[in-house]
Amino acid sequence: MNLLEHYVTNITYEEPIEKNCMLFFKVVCDVDCYGNKEVQTELLLTEYDYEEVKSKGYYLA
């Protein structure tokens, strides 16, 4: 399986969630993966993926 870049735009909601001593982020945003666009999708991102979205604008999945 190949990893693809999921570009994140229009973040409308962010909420940190802690489960089993790990930090996750619940995010509602628009996602574009090579033309497959999803509007106002709810994502559950790890702390690392969330930092990637904030710095680069995408995460790998």
Side-chain angles (χ1 to χ4, degrees), residues 22-36:
M22 290 185 63
L23 184 61
F24 294 94
F25 288 90
K26 182 177 171 182
V27 179
V28 177
C29 60
D30 297 344
V31 179
D32 182 4
C33 180
Y34 292 96
N36 183 20

Side-chain angles (χ1 to χ4, degrees), residues 6-15 25-33 36-45 53 59:
H6 290 74
Y7 288 91
V8 175
T9 57
N10 192 22
I11 297 174
T12 56
Y13 179 76
E14 299 175 357
E15 177 187 358
F25 288 90
K26 182 177 171 182
V27 179
V28 177
C29 60
D30 297 344
V31 179
D32 182 4
C33 180
N36 183 20
K37 297 180 181 180
E38 298 178 13
V39 179
Q40 293 303 293
T41 302
E42 184 178 303
L43 301 175
L44 188 62
L45 301 172
V53 166
Y59 68 98

